[in-house]
Amino acid sequence: MAAEGLPCEFDVVILGTGLVESVVAAACSRVGQRVLHLDRRSYYAANWASFTFNGLLDWIQRRQEPPPQPDELQDWSSLLEEGEELIYLCNADSSSVSNVQVFSFTREEEESVSPPSTTEEEEAAAAAEVEEAEEETTQSTDIKEKESKEETFNEEDDGQAAGVDGEEHEAPPPDNQSRKKVSYSELLDKGRRFNIDLVSKLMFSRGSLIDLLIKSNVSRYAEFKNVSRILTCRHGNVEQVPCSRADVFGSRQLSVVEKRKLMRFLTSVVEETEQQTAYSGRPYLDFLCEQQLGDNLQHFLLHSIAMVTEDTPTEEGLASTRHFLRCLGRYGNTPFLFPVYGLGEIPQCFCRMSAVFGGIYCLRHTVHCLLLDKSNNRCKAVIDSRGQRISCSHFVVEEGYVATERKKVVTPTRSISRAVLITDASVLPAHSDQQVSLVTVPPVAAGAPVVKMVELCSSTMTCIPGTYLVHLTCQSVGSAYEDLSPVVTRMFNTPESHDQETCPSVLWCLYFNMVDGSGVQVQGHDLPPNVYVCSGPDGGLGHEHAVTQAESIFRNILPDEEFCPPAPNPEDIIYDGDSAPSTGEEEKQGEEKGEEEAGQSERGEGTGVEEVGQSESGEE
Amino acid sequence: MAGGSVSECKEYLFKVLVIGELGVGKTSIIKRYVHQLFSQHYRATIGVDFALKVINWDSKTLVRLQLWDIAGQERFGNMTRVYYKEAVGAFVVFDMTRGSTFEAVSKWKHDLDSKVKLANGSPIPSVLLANKCDQKKDGSNNTAPMDNFCKETGFLGWFETSAKDNINVDEAARFLVENILANDKGLPYEESNGDRVKLDQETVAAESKSGCC
């Protein structure tokens, strides 16, 4: 809490708290490196963050503000020593997100029309509603004026108007008595119970992130929900994809013959056959056709199980099918897990682990420039936003802080289109309203992108009861709105959709594009070799890219150390009377170096001593 | 560890946060309470997440208390949500011999209330600890102003503690747990948490299910 000075020497300084940076921080702290972990933002997890509803509105607003003036390049040359050179970082990362558009379709009037659903709380808030709704309208309009093209203007305006005075344009859907409508003010009032991720991914139950969480014991900070079903959109209908043995046999949409065929296929695909290799280089779709599975099964296998496109080569299609099958049944009926409270938890779990092992954390704190030692072309120190010179042996940085001219990026830069919806019902209602669903949506038209949709229920702690949080993601073809609104209009009830009263209603939605991090390499930039660039979120469904990148950075920094060995369990830590007032450290150091005392004192000084607390607790 | 778990015994697991400025003795209090230890020479808290104290509350109730220390280095006030989430009680600690640490109490309390709430939206019960009372210089009685401060800031109460001389640590913990239990009775707690998945080494070891169909 207190404004304290930072120590002036670290082994590793890390700027940015995204997933890759956070894993590197945890890994380095865990093996005894002195880590300083900073982020210019006021929140953790960078573009991997999750926000409360209100927090997300702030985030949106910040996207609308003109990009901050590049700080008048402060002259730090006074801090330079002989043989040093400055490398300035850039502070504007706003360029990674673009085309932000917001629509609110909540109808305030319905609150009073349906008395059974009106609670006192809502009534009390009713007065404030109109005002807030209007605010929202202006806000969205502003964005539109800046970002969107005229063609969608009219429709959008209808949507906006509906947010303010619902009775004019809207014929209320016939089932609105049964569904309790959530008002905008309720979204705001209960906003803190939303955890809305900027990124939408799932965790493969045998993927590298789950393995890393388990191996390192970082998993102790998180809980997960099984993705309970996989759905797909076909001929305008949402259907469940049978993927486990039980699903296949329990399925009502498959014929007996299809069931047998599917089982035979799934069993046979596990091992490589000559027939498969013969299709190498040819589309997986051709291979599937050859199996004479029929349209139904072919659709499931291509779009929902392999999750590839029609022209994906067979070997790739088979590899993803096998990965899918390997992940089945480890924790549940589908291959996927989703973290309770959202994906934004995961980088924070790694940050906590780093902090527990001595990592120092400061948000709203950045690095202005690097000090290059010209004799060996290495970064020997950084200058932070308070003008303090902090020496380090390695510097790890989120891609957004690196000036464009120094970056080597794959061109053309790819980006991800994202939509976030708050809806009032599931796309496929089932006996339980607490389903977590992955929905694969094949291209709605030729040239349109493949869309992955994740629908989260309230028990994932990402939205309030009575609502669903729906994330849509695809590789960008156009803007997020252009790419995803056709899917939204088709599968949900919005003022733009027709004859879809039975579909879930969209209460609120957000579109934006984010740069696809998969084009960024760790090294090869115009930077010293001990500076490592971390990419932001990539467009893949899993986390393999991020974990691989983090591990490779760690290997570069500490080639001889273990990557994320298990942290001791709190119960196993032995407290020694007076002699060795240390904690979990002896366990760790003991197992690695067998020189407890020496190891401790070596790092004790730098990180400060709680009771004696000399170096840190100045000022006050 | 779990002694008297009879058939009708109710078990609770409570996450309790211990927060406050650097060097006020958070770790000492935890060690005193959980391990009956005190040392003059604690270093910054490294490698410790939380300590577990098992309390046989009464013949029918077993309470497992997870005391979460601030990792020394989150001391700039930038705690992750991991630290706060699903906590049901808190100790805010200050050092009686250093006025500045008391001034920071309101900041910590405010931060706490803004980051974590009970399921019903009310703040989590918290108790103020005036630590290092063994070093108190004057014998002055500040009960009334402290009571007032607690009322204004929303603390349930306060205790003068000494981890060194083992004064009031157990009492403060008992007081907080009483309040947590009282809250818990009124709340439909963990109604939907049953199907959450925890990942740990045992899960992996116990894995025997065949993968796919």
Side-chain angles (χ1 to χ4, degrees), chain B residues 69-84:
Chain B
D69 210 336
I70 291 179
Q73 285 61 34
E74 287 170 300
R75 61 172 175 265
F76 293 93
N78 298 315
M79 247 85 67
T80 55
R81 197 173 45 194
V82 171
Y83 179 75
Y84 284 108

mmCIF file with all atom_site columns, all heavy atoms in Angstrom, chain B residues 69-84:
data_model
loop_
_atom_site.group_PDB
_atom_site.id
_atom_site.type_symbol
_atom_site.label_atom_id
_atom_site.label_alt_id
_atom_site.label_comp_id
_atom_site.label_asym_id
_atom_site.label_entity_id
_atom_site.label_seq_id
_atom_site.pdbx_PDB_ins_code
_atom_site.Cartn_x
_atom_site.Cartn_y
_atom_site.Cartn_z
_atom_site.occupancy
_atom_site.B_iso_or_equiv
_atom_site.pdbx_formal_charge
_atom_site.auth_seq_id
_atom_site.auth_comp_id
_atom_site.auth_asym_id
_atom_site.auth_atom_id
_atom_site.pdbx_PDB_model_num
ATOM 1   N N   . ASP B 1 69 ? -1.605  -15.311 4.043   1.00 0.00 ? 69 ASP B N   1
ATOM 2   C CA  . ASP B 1 69 ? -0.659  -14.227 4.244   1.00 0.00 ? 69 ASP B CA  1
ATOM 3   C C   . ASP B 1 69 ? -0.536  -13.455 2.924   1.00 0.00 ? 69 ASP B C   1
ATOM 4   O O   . ASP B 1 69 ? -0.707  -14.032 1.855   1.00 0.00 ? 69 ASP B O   1
ATOM 5   C CB  . ASP B 1 69 ? 0.694   -14.853 4.587   1.00 0.00 ? 69 ASP B CB  1
ATOM 6   C CG  . ASP B 1 69 ? 1.523   -13.956 5.478   1.00 0.00 ? 69 ASP B CG  1
ATOM 7   O OD1 . ASP B 1 69 ? 1.285   -12.740 5.465   1.00 0.00 ? 69 ASP B OD1 1
ATOM 8   O OD2 . ASP B 1 69 ? 2.410   -14.481 6.168   1.00 0.00 ? 69 ASP B OD2 1
ATOM 9   N N   . ILE B 1 70 ? -0.231  -12.178 3.044   1.00 0.00 ? 70 ILE B N   1
ATOM 10  C CA  . ILE B 1 70 ? 0.156   -11.458 1.841   1.00 0.00 ? 70 ILE B CA  1
ATOM 11  C C   . ILE B 1 70 ? 1.537   -11.953 1.486   1.00 0.00 ? 70 ILE B C   1
ATOM 12  O O   . ILE B 1 70 ? 2.407   -11.986 2.335   1.00 0.00 ? 70 ILE B O   1
ATOM 13  C CB  . ILE B 1 70 ? 0.281   -9.947  2.131   1.00 0.00 ? 70 ILE B CB  1
ATOM 14  C CG1 . ILE B 1 70 ? -1.067  -9.362  2.399   1.00 0.00 ? 70 ILE B CG1 1
ATOM 15  C CG2 . ILE B 1 70 ? 0.979   -9.237  1.002   1.00 0.00 ? 70 ILE B CG2 1
ATOM 16  C CD1 . ILE B 1 70 ? -0.983  -7.888  2.712   1.00 0.00 ? 70 ILE B CD1 1
ATOM 17  N N   . ALA B 1 71 ? 1.728   -12.345 0.261   1.00 0.00 ? 71 ALA B N   1
ATOM 18  C CA  . ALA B 1 71 ? 3.092   -12.657 -0.105  1.00 0.00 ? 71 ALA B CA  1
ATOM 19  C C   . ALA B 1 71 ? 3.813   -11.333 0.051   1.00 0.00 ? 71 ALA B C   1
ATOM 20  O O   . ALA B 1 71 ? 3.334   -10.318 -0.437  1.00 0.00 ? 71 ALA B O   1
ATOM 21  C CB  . ALA B 1 71 ? 3.156   -13.155 -1.543  1.00 0.00 ? 71 ALA B CB  1
ATOM 22  N N   . GLY B 1 72 ? 4.924   -11.303 0.777   1.00 0.00 ? 72 GLY B N   1
ATOM 23  C CA  . GLY B 1 72 ? 5.567   -10.046 1.152   1.00 0.00 ? 72 GLY B CA  1
ATOM 24  C C   . GLY B 1 72 ? 5.574   -9.054  0.005   1.00 0.00 ? 72 GLY B C   1
ATOM 25  O O   . GLY B 1 72 ? 5.451   -7.857  0.181   1.00 0.00 ? 72 GLY B O   1
ATOM 26  N N   . GLN B 1 73 ? 5.674   -9.584  -1.201  1.00 0.00 ? 73 GLN B N   1
ATOM 27  C CA  . GLN B 1 73 ? 5.928   -8.716  -2.340  1.00 0.00 ? 73 GLN B CA  1
ATOM 28  C C   . GLN B 1 73 ? 4.672   -8.173  -2.994  1.00 0.00 ? 73 GLN B C   1
ATOM 29  O O   . GLN B 1 73 ? 4.741   -7.379  -3.909  1.00 0.00 ? 73 GLN B O   1
ATOM 30  C CB  . GLN B 1 73 ? 6.776   -9.478  -3.347  1.00 0.00 ? 73 GLN B CB  1
ATOM 31  C CG  . GLN B 1 73 ? 8.212   -9.578  -2.897  1.00 0.00 ? 73 GLN B CG  1
ATOM 32  C CD  . GLN B 1 73 ? 8.366   -10.312 -1.584  1.00 0.00 ? 73 GLN B CD  1
ATOM 33  O OE1 . GLN B 1 73 ? 7.629   -11.237 -1.288  1.00 0.00 ? 73 GLN B OE1 1
ATOM 34  N NE2 . GLN B 1 73 ? 9.299   -9.869  -0.774  1.00 0.00 ? 73 GLN B NE2 1
ATOM 35  N N   . GLU B 1 74 ? 3.528   -8.591  -2.499  1.00 0.00 ? 74 GLU B N   1
ATOM 36  C CA  . GLU B 1 74 ? 2.332   -7.938  -3.003  1.00 0.00 ? 74 GLU B CA  1
ATOM 37  C C   . GLU B 1 74 ? 2.093   -6.676  -2.166  1.00 0.00 ? 74 GLU B C   1
ATOM 38  O O   . GLU B 1 74 ? 1.049   -6.095  -2.184  1.00 0.00 ? 74 GLU B O   1
ATOM 39  C CB  . GLU B 1 74 ? 1.128   -8.883  -2.910  1.00 0.00 ? 74 GLU B CB  1
ATOM 40  C CG  . GLU B 1 74 ? 1.192   -9.988  -3.940  1.00 0.00 ? 74 GLU B CG  1
ATOM 41  C CD  . GLU B 1 74 ? 0.144   -11.064 -3.704  1.00 0.00 ? 74 GLU B CD  1
ATOM 42  O OE1 . GLU B 1 74 ? 0.152   -11.686 -2.631  1.00 0.00 ? 74 GLU B OE1 1
ATOM 43  O OE2 . GLU B 1 74 ? -0.675  -11.286 -4.588  1.00 0.00 ? 74 GLU B OE2 1
ATOM 44  N N   . ARG B 1 75 ? 3.110   -6.295  -1.445  1.00 0.00 ? 75 ARG B N   1
ATOM 45  C CA  . ARG B 1 75 ? 2.930   -5.249  -0.453  1.00 0.00 ? 75 ARG B CA  1
ATOM 46  C C   . ARG B 1 75 ? 2.683   -3.885  -1.057  1.00 0.00 ? 75 ARG B C   1
ATOM 47  O O   . ARG B 1 75 ? 2.339   -2.951  -0.362  1.00 0.00 ? 75 ARG B O   1
ATOM 48  C CB  . ARG B 1 75 ? 4.136   -5.194  0.476   1.00 0.00 ? 75 ARG B CB  1
ATOM 49  C CG  . ARG B 1 75 ? 5.420   -4.871  -0.259  1.00 0.00 ? 75 ARG B CG  1
ATOM 50  C CD  . ARG B 1 75 ? 6.529   -4.627  0.729   1.00 0.00 ? 75 ARG B CD  1
ATOM 51  N NE  . ARG B 1 75 ? 7.777   -4.428  0.031   1.00 0.00 ? 75 ARG B NE  1
ATOM 52  C CZ  . ARG B 1 75 ? 8.646   -5.380  -0.192  1.00 0.00 ? 75 ARG B CZ  1
ATOM 53  N NH1 . ARG B 1 75 ? 8.396   -6.603  0.200   1.00 0.00 ? 75 ARG B NH1 1
ATOM 54  N NH2 . ARG B 1 75 ? 9.760   -5.128  -0.826  1.00 0.00 ? 75 ARG B NH2 1
ATOM 55  N N   . PHE B 1 76 ? 2.875   -3.756  -2.346  1.00 0.00 ? 76 PHE B N   1
ATOM 56  C CA  . PHE B 1 76 ? 2.559   -2.466  -2.936  1.00 0.00 ? 76 PHE B CA  1
ATOM 57  C C   . PHE B 1 76 ? 1.060   -2.305  -3.114  1.00 0.00 ? 76 PHE B C   1
ATOM 58  O O   . PHE B 1 76 ? 0.594   -1.349  -3.702  1.00 0.00 ? 76 PHE B O   1
ATOM 59  C CB  . PHE B 1 76 ? 3.307   -2.294  -4.252  1.00 0.00 ? 76 PHE B CB  1
ATOM 60  C CG  . PHE B 1 76 ? 4.788   -2.192  -4.039  1.00 0.00 ? 76 PHE B CG  1
ATOM 61  C CD1 . PHE B 1 76 ? 5.586   -3.304  -4.105  1.00 0.00 ? 76 PHE B CD1 1
ATOM 62  C CD2 . PHE B 1 76 ? 5.367   -0.975  -3.715  1.00 0.00 ? 76 PHE B CD2 1
ATOM 63  C CE1 . PHE B 1 76 ? 6.952   -3.220  -3.863  1.00 0.00 ? 76 PHE B CE1 1
ATOM 64  C CE2 . PHE B 1 76 ? 6.727   -0.882  -3.488  1.00 0.00 ? 76 PHE B CE2 1
ATOM 65  C CZ  . PHE B 1 76 ? 7.527   -2.002  -3.551  1.00 0.00 ? 76 PHE B CZ  1
ATOM 66  N N   . GLY B 1 77 ? 0.332   -3.256  -2.582  1.00 0.00 ? 77 GLY B N   1
ATOM 67  C CA  . GLY B 1 77 ? -1.118  -3.126  -2.588  1.00 0.00 ? 77 GLY B CA  1
ATOM 68  C C   . GLY B 1 77 ? -1.759  -3.696  -3.827  1.00 0.00 ? 77 GLY B C   1
ATOM 69  O O   . GLY B 1 77 ? -2.957  -3.598  -4.018  1.00 0.00 ? 77 GLY B O   1
ATOM 70  N N   . ASN B 1 78 ? -0.956  -4.334  -4.670  1.00 0.00 ? 78 ASN B N   1
ATOM 71  C CA  . ASN B 1 78 ? -1.531  -4.863  -5.894  1.00 0.00 ? 78 ASN B CA  1
ATOM 72  C C   . ASN B 1 78 ? -1.773  -6.356  -5.777  1.00 0.00 ? 78 ASN B C   1
ATOM 73  O O   . ASN B 1 78 ? -1.157  -7.152  -6.446  1.00 0.00 ? 78 ASN B O   1
ATOM 74  C CB  . ASN B 1 78 ? -0.607  -4.592  -7.073  1.00 0.00 ? 78 ASN B CB  1
ATOM 75  C CG  . ASN B 1 78 ? -0.419  -3.105  -7.281  1.00 0.00 ? 78 ASN B CG  1
ATOM 76  O OD1 . ASN B 1 78 ? -1.380  -2.353  -7.238  1.00 0.00 ? 78 ASN B OD1 1
ATOM 77  N ND2 . ASN B 1 78 ? 0.808   -2.678  -7.490  1.00 0.00 ? 78 ASN B ND2 1
ATOM 78  N N   . MET B 1 79 ? -2.662  -6.708  -4.869  1.00 0.00 ? 79 MET B N   1
ATOM 79  C CA  . MET B 1 79 ? -2.937  -8.122  -4.703  1.00 0.00 ? 79 MET B CA  1
ATOM 80  C C   . MET B 1 79 ? -3.729  -8.647  -5.886  1.00 0.00 ? 79 MET B C   1
ATOM 81  O O   . MET B 1 79 ? -4.579  -7.962  -6.431  1.00 0.00 ? 79 MET B O   1
ATOM 82  C CB  . MET B 1 79 ? -3.749  -8.345  -3.444  1.00 0.00 ? 79 MET B CB  1
ATOM 83  C CG  . MET B 1 79 ? -3.008  -9.095  -2.398  1.00 0.00 ? 79 MET B CG  1
ATOM 84  S SD  . MET B 1 79 ? -2.040  -7.995  -1.447  1.00 0.00 ? 79 MET B SD  1
ATOM 85  C CE  . MET B 1 79 ? -3.355  -7.127  -0.678  1.00 0.00 ? 79 MET B CE  1
ATOM 86  N N   . THR B 1 80 ? -3.441  -9.880  -6.239  1.00 0.00 ? 80 THR B N   1
ATOM 87  C CA  . THR B 1 80 ? -4.227  -10.510 -7.289  1.00 0.00 ? 80 THR B CA  1
ATOM 88  C C   . THR B 1 80 ? -5.592  -10.881 -6.735  1.00 0.00 ? 80 THR B C   1
ATOM 89  O O   . THR B 1 80 ? -5.782  -11.008 -5.531  1.00 0.00 ? 80 THR B O   1
ATOM 90  C CB  . THR B 1 80 ? -3.546  -11.800 -7.768  1.00 0.00 ? 80 THR B CB  1
ATOM 91  O OG1 . THR B 1 80 ? -3.348  -12.629 -6.630  1.00 0.00 ? 80 THR B OG1 1
ATOM 92  C CG2 . THR B 1 80 ? -2.230  -11.519 -8.431  1.00 0.00 ? 80 THR B CG2 1
ATOM 93  N N   . ARG B 1 81 ? -6.518  -11.097 -7.655  1.00 0.00 ? 81 ARG B N   1
ATOM 94  C CA  . ARG B 1 81 ? -7.848  -11.517 -7.212  1.00 0.00 ? 81 ARG B CA  1
ATOM 95  C C   . ARG B 1 81 ? -7.789  -12.905 -6.581  1.00 0.00 ? 81 ARG B C   1
ATOM 96  O O   . ARG B 1 81 ? -8.613  -13.250 -5.746  1.00 0.00 ? 81 ARG B O   1
ATOM 97  C CB  . ARG B 1 81 ? -8.794  -11.516 -8.402  1.00 0.00 ? 81 ARG B CB  1
ATOM 98  C CG  . ARG B 1 81 ? -10.244 -11.529 -7.982  1.00 0.00 ? 81 ARG B CG  1
ATOM 99  C CD  . ARG B 1 81 ? -11.135 -11.358 -9.164  1.00 0.00 ? 81 ARG B CD  1
ATOM 100 N NE  . ARG B 1 81 ? -10.689 -12.200 -10.260 1.00 0.00 ? 81 ARG B NE  1
ATOM 101 C CZ  . ARG B 1 81 ? -11.122 -12.067 -11.505 1.00 0.00 ? 81 ARG B CZ  1
ATOM 102 N NH1 . ARG B 1 81 ? -11.985 -11.120 -11.777 1.00 0.00 ? 81 ARG B NH1 1
ATOM 103 N NH2 . ARG B 1 81 ? -10.706 -12.863 -12.449 1.00 0.00 ? 81 ARG B NH2 1
ATOM 104 N N   . VAL B 1 82 ? -6.783  -13.663 -6.984  1.00 0.00 ? 82 VAL B N   1
ATOM 105 C CA  . VAL B 1 82 ? -6.600  -14.983 -6.404  1.00 0.00 ? 82 VAL B CA  1
ATOM 106 C C   . VAL B 1 82 ? -6.545  -14.895 -4.884  1.00 0.00 ? 82 VAL B C   1
ATOM 107 O O   . VAL B 1 82 ? -7.088  -15.724 -4.167  1.00 0.00 ? 82 VAL B O   1
ATOM 108 C CB  . VAL B 1 82 ? -5.290  -15.605 -6.938  1.00 0.00 ? 82 VAL B CB  1
ATOM 109 C CG1 . VAL B 1 82 ? -4.953  -16.884 -6.208  1.00 0.00 ? 82 VAL B CG1 1
ATOM 110 C CG2 . VAL B 1 82 ? -5.384  -15.831 -8.436  1.00 0.00 ? 82 VAL B CG2 1
ATOM 111 N N   . TYR B 1 83 ? -5.889  -13.849 -4.402  1.00 0.00 ? 83 TYR B N   1
ATOM 112 C CA  . TYR B 1 83 ? -5.742  -13.683 -2.961  1.00 0.00 ? 83 TYR B CA  1
ATOM 113 C C   . TYR B 1 83 ? -7.097  -13.434 -2.290  1.00 0.00 ? 83 TYR B C   1
ATOM 114 O O   . TYR B 1 83 ? -7.423  -14.018 -1.268  1.00 0.00 ? 83 TYR B O   1
ATOM 115 C CB  . TYR B 1 83 ? -4.792  -12.513 -2.689  1.00 0.00 ? 83 TYR B CB  1
ATOM 116 C CG  . TYR B 1 83 ? -4.577  -12.237 -1.218  1.00 0.00 ? 83 TYR B CG  1
ATOM 117 C CD1 . TYR B 1 83 ? -3.765  -13.063 -0.455  1.00 0.00 ? 83 TYR B CD1 1
ATOM 118 C CD2 . TYR B 1 83 ? -5.185  -11.152 -0.600  1.00 0.00 ? 83 TYR B CD2 1
ATOM 119 C CE1 . TYR B 1 83 ? -3.565  -12.815 0.888   1.00 0.00 ? 83 TYR B CE1 1
ATOM 120 C CE2 . TYR B 1 83 ? -4.979  -10.897 0.743   1.00 0.00 ? 83 TYR B CE2 1
ATOM 121 C CZ  . TYR B 1 83 ? -4.172  -11.733 1.489   1.00 0.00 ? 83 TYR B CZ  1
ATOM 122 O OH  . TYR B 1 83 ? -3.983  -11.487 2.817   1.00 0.00 ? 83 TYR B OH  1
ATOM 123 N N   . TYR B 1 84 ? -7.901  -12.591 -2.875  1.00 0.00 ? 84 TYR B N   1
ATOM 124 C CA  . TYR B 1 84 ? -9.136  -12.181 -2.219  1.00 0.00 ? 84 TYR B CA  1
ATOM 125 C C   . TYR B 1 84 ? -10.303 -13.145 -2.390  1.00 0.00 ? 84 TYR B C   1
ATOM 126 O O   . TYR B 1 84 ? -11.183 -13.227 -1.557  1.00 0.00 ? 84 TYR B O   1
ATOM 127 C CB  . TYR B 1 84 ? -9.581  -10.826 -2.773  1.00 0.00 ? 84 TYR B CB  1
ATOM 128 C CG  . TYR B 1 84 ? -8.781  -9.663  -2.258  1.00 0.00 ? 84 TYR B CG  1
ATOM 129 C CD1 . TYR B 1 84 ? -7.887  -8.983  -3.066  1.00 0.00 ? 84 TYR B CD1 1
ATOM 130 C CD2 . TYR B 1 84 ? -8.950  -9.236  -0.948  1.00 0.00 ? 84 TYR B CD2 1
ATOM 131 C CE1 . TYR B 1 84 ? -7.167  -7.905  -2.593  1.00 0.00 ? 84 TYR B CE1 1
ATOM 132 C CE2 . TYR B 1 84 ? -8.234  -8.155  -0.464  1.00 0.00 ? 84 TYR B CE2 1
ATOM 133 C CZ  . TYR B 1 84 ? -7.344  -7.492  -1.289  1.00 0.00 ? 84 TYR B CZ  1
ATOM 134 O OH  . TYR B 1 84 ? -6.638  -6.434  -0.813  1.00 0.00 ? 84 TYR B OH  1
#
